[in-house]
Amino acid sequence: MVYTLSKSDIERQLGRPLSEAEADNLEALVALAKQRLEQALNAPIDGDGVRTFASCERARQLYVGPFTELKSVKVNDKPLTDGYEVMWSDEFRVPANSLRFSKPMVSDRIIKIEATWGFGAKLPLPLLHLWAQLFDAIARTSFAARDDNGHLIRDITSEKIIDYSVTYAKSSQSDLDRVLSDNMGVISAYRTPSNTIIPSGVEGCI
């Protein structure tokens, strides 16, 4: 499963047509926005094949990212057919995002997991919307006007309306940072936790 973001998807999510510059650079901007989305979610959002993980000392749970079908698990290239269970996302139940082992791991184990990665046939709508917003932020930064020194002319800080002058506070956040900050609820809901050392209290190790 590989997700794509089409021109019509973006226009539907943003509620506006793409500019000529955005349309001409669609593929590159979509790829950059996807990269930012995956960084925010702490895991790739799609793909097939094998991914490799290093075990954490005495941990029993391994967060691997969203998947819908588990095909195989190997520990130091040895197939593991039992001794673990698939754990589902607490928020959405589907898809799975981790494995929980019956025994704790030690730190020198290399775990290879083959799975159908991602969220299923369709990317969840909140993530699709966030992807489009990241596209918009990257495009605005890429094609924004610049001053003689090459610096972005990002925000209007003041304007005069007839006899009245209005001054606005200029935000120190970039467009990209603002999108991520405004969508922290979505990111938190779908983000894959980092693997950390968790004392298990169970004798014996995988």
Side-chain angles (χ1 to χ4, degrees):
M1 172 60 63
V2 177
Y3 300 115
T4 59
L5 194 64
S6 68
K7 180 175 180 289
S8 60
D9 287 332
I10 299 169
E11 290 177 335
R12 190 180 306 112
Q13 294 300 318
L14 297 181
R16 65 167 179 82
L18 296 190
S19 68
E20 183 178 348
E22 289 171 331
D24 289 344
N25 294 276
L26 181 66
E27 185 176 342
L29 292 170
V30 166
L32 285 171
K34 184 177 184 180
Q35 183 180 40
R36 292 293 189 176
L37 177 62
E38 291 180 331
Q39 288 174 350
L41 298 179
N42 199 36
I45 60 173
D46 56 20
D48 292 304
V50 177
R51 293 181 187 171
T52 302
F53 302 86
S55 62
C56 293
E57 182 71 22
R58 305 298 294 176
R60 291 182 60 193
Q61 190 145 348
L62 180 69
Y63 291 98
V64 298
F67 64 92
T68 55
E69 180 187 1
L70 183 65
K71 298 179 180 179
S72 68
V73 178
K74 292 182 179 180
V75 178
N76 286 0
D77 290 325
K78 180 180 179 180
L80 189 66
T81 57
D82 57 17
Y84 64 87
E85 60 179 321
V86 173
M87 303 301 295
W88 303 93
S89 166
D90 291 338
E91 292 83 4
F92 302 98
R93 303 300 299 169
V94 175
N97 66 0
S98 64
L99 301 179
R100 179 174 292 171
F101 296 90
S102 58
K103 294 181 180 180
M105 295 176 283
V106 292
S107 59
D108 64 346
R109 300 294 188 257
I110 300 299
I111 302 167
K112 295 182 179 180
I113 297 176
E114 183 179 10
T116 301
W117 304 99
F119 294 88
K122 293 183 178 181
L123 193 68
L125 187 57
L127 293 182
L128 185 68
H129 185 62
L130 176 54
W131 192 354
Q133 287 183 293
L134 291 170
F135 173 97
D136 180 58
I138 292 171
R140 279 187 280 117
T141 300
S142 299
F143 305 126
R146 297 175 183 268
D147 63 20
D148 293 338
N149 295 317
H151 299 136
L152 290 175
I153 303 174
R154 293 178 28 79
D155 301 301
I156 297 175
T157 56
S158 65
E159 61 180 326
K160 189 171 184 179
I161 306 172
I162 310 177
D163 294 327
Y164 298 93
S165 179
V166 181
T167 301
Y168 305 97
K170 187 172 181 178
S171 172
S172 61
Q173 278 190 314
S174 68
D175 291 331
L176 191 61
D177 288 339
R178 191 178 300 116
V179 168
L180 294 172
S181 177
D182 289 346
N183 287 274
M184 281 308 300
V186 172
I187 293 170
S188 297
Y190 289 97
R191 192 174 191 275
T192 297
S194 298
N195 290 302
T196 56
I197 298 173
I198 306 172
S200 63
V202 179
E203 295 300 324
C205 294
I206 292 176

